[in-house]
Amino acid sequence: MRKRYDQIRSEVNLDQLIDLVRGKLLELPDPRSRSVDYTFHDLVMSAFAVYHFKYPSLNRLEEQTTAERENLHQLFKIGKLCSDAHLRSCVDQVDPSDLRELYPSCFQLLKRSGVLREYALADKQLICSVDGVEHFSSQKVHCPHCQERHHRNGQITYSHSMLCAALVHPDQREVFIMGSEPIKKQDGSQKNDCERNAAHRLLDWMSDHYKDYNLLFVEDALYANGPHLRRIRELNWNFIVNIKPGSHELLFKLFDTRKAQGSVRFCQWMDKQGTTHRFWYDNDLPLNEACADVRVNVLMYEEELKNGSIQRFSWATSIPLSRRNVEQIMRQGRSRWKIENETFNTLKNQGYNFEHNFGHGSNHLATFMAYMMLLAFLVDQIFQRCNQLFNRIWKAAKTKVKMWEITRSLFMVRVVYSFKEFYIILAQQFSVQLE
Ligand SMILES: [Zn+2]
């Protein structure tokens, strides 16, 4: 008999998730040619453990208590811990691209446990929010892959950024990383061009891994360009992208002309909170002069709160607009912020030490560590979505930062043989009843 979704979900545990990560990490090629004291497995799992426990630095690996060493052995199967310098120099040589295979594996798990059903819109579409984020910046340390910003005073800022794609839903709390693509320095290109090129590579990768899913891309105005939107449509996916008067002049002009001619449709209503929602929409407009073949449907939206304050948004979408769906499209378009608020801000403010420099290296280190952080975040989000006990402990702890703090303290002094056991002990610390 097939297992029920809730049964599969209740069985999702950290031990299983970390096994999944370990399986993929072990498939990465060991870049070292000579025999060494540390296994490749121990090196890469140590890097993952640093992010899982949200350690503030890699040095923490060298300052382990006896209990921590035993726990790392029991829970992560790490045999021997190396110095942070050795760890950095080794993973600097490892191309982390293959780590991305873990995102679709986790997506499968979300599907099996029924989470995807809860994220699917009425028409079965899944919202994928894409945005870029800078994860390394320095005026001294740099490598050949760094992006460069030349300042007027002659100084140069070196940085690494990446694009992230995440499954989001307007009414759901968790976000799940689906893809990532480093933004690589390309000579003579503007930053925007780099992000656009990275977006192209990301879409190619996603088409290889998610072609059977009905995706709806929500993105900011930077991605509202012809080649990108055309590619999304070629892949049979949909989009809702922000548009701006400055970068989409023709589209706004055309919309205004049609509005003056009376062909733009309008509707408005007030909700229970006294907020007025106003929608102006029209279908089948050319995106711009250069890409007139890319036809979009345009939604202009105004939200007026009870106190009179007004916010305005505008989107272009591949979904034909009607009175029936403009509110949904507005809510889906606004769910783009989830990647900023729930992903990047969580990584920055909730213990993941996003802006802390774990090392830069001269080849892959910066990207490798950023991917490790995304994987640790993805594992946490899946566990949070599926595990009731985690949620009860979180509620008792009030903040995640507090929860991670107690987790680390407990890990330092108490030997456990599984994460399942670990969370039972953690629950006792917060007087959370086990069911
Ligand atoms: Zn660099």
Side-chain angles (χ1 to χ4, degrees), residues 136 141-147 158-160 360-363 366:
F136 172 85
V141 181
H142 58 97
C143 76
H145 305 299
C146 274
Q147 287 175 277
Y158 301 95
S159 66
H160 280 250
H360 178 258
S362 54
N363 209 356

Side-chain angles (χ1 to χ4, degrees), residues 268-278 301-310:
Q268 66 171 337
W269 58 82
M270 190 187 280
D271 64 22
K272 284 176 194 159
Q273 285 77 40
T275 303
T276 306
H277 305 271
R278 299 187 185 94
Y301 166 69
E302 198 174 89
E303 178 188 72
E304 184 175 349
L305 300 181
K306 213 173 170 182
N307 65 14
S309 69
I310 292 181

Side-chain angles (χ1 to χ4, degrees), residues 59-218:
N59 299 342
R60 282 291 279 106
L61 288 174
E62 288 183 280
E63 302 158 359
Q64 302 283 306
T65 63
T66 314
E68 274 176 302
R69 282 175 192 275
E70 187 56 28
N71 283 333
L72 287 172
H73 177 61
Q74 295 296 341
L75 306 182
F76 292 87
K77 312 282 183 275
I78 296 169
K80 201 172 170 187
L81 291 161
C82 67
S83 71
D84 61 306
H86 186 75
L87 177 65
R88 283 194 186 95
S89 71
C90 177
V91 298
D92 189 37
Q93 301 164 61
V94 183
D95 180 352
S97 312
D98 290 344
L99 282 177
R100 297 182 299 181
E101 301 295 325
L102 270 163
Y103 309 138
S105 303
C106 288
F107 211 72
Q108 279 299 319
L109 182 64
L110 293 172
K111 187 181 178 185
R112 284 201 304 278
S113 56
V115 176
L116 284 197
R117 276 162 41 114
E118 295 158 1
Y119 276 69
L121 305 171
D123 54 9
K124 304 266 196 309
Q125 292 195 99
L126 294 165
I127 303 179
C128 179
S129 177
V130 177
D131 207 357
V133 68
E134 188 179 282
H135 59 88
F136 172 85
S137 173
S138 170
Q139 296 204 326
K140 291 187 189 130
V141 181
H142 58 97
C143 76
H145 305 299
C146 274
Q147 287 175 277
E148 293 178 15
R149 270 198 303 272
H150 293 258
H151 304 285
R152 279 187 192 158
N153 62 4
Q155 275 189 327
I156 304 172
T157 301
Y158 301 95
S159 66
H160 280 250
S161 303
M162 63 180 169
L163 282 188
C164 290
L167 175 70
V168 301
H169 185 284
D171 306 324
Q172 305 288 349
R173 188 178 52 186
E174 287 79 21
V175 294
F176 304 102
I177 303 292
M178 293 176 70
S180 57
E181 179 64 41
I183 300 170
K184 289 183 179 168
K185 180 193 160 195
Q186 289 174 17
D187 290 342
S189 282
Q190 298 294 312
K191 183 173 177 284
N192 290 359
D193 291 333
C194 289
E195 283 211 31
R196 286 179 186 189
N197 290 344
H200 193 81
R201 296 193 300 272
L202 179 69
L203 272 187
D204 280 349
W205 185 87
M206 297 214 35
S207 70
D208 285 341
H209 293 84
Y210 298 99
K211 65 176 183 306
D212 297 333
Y213 295 97
N214 197 353
L215 300 185
L216 168 61
F217 284 83
V218 293

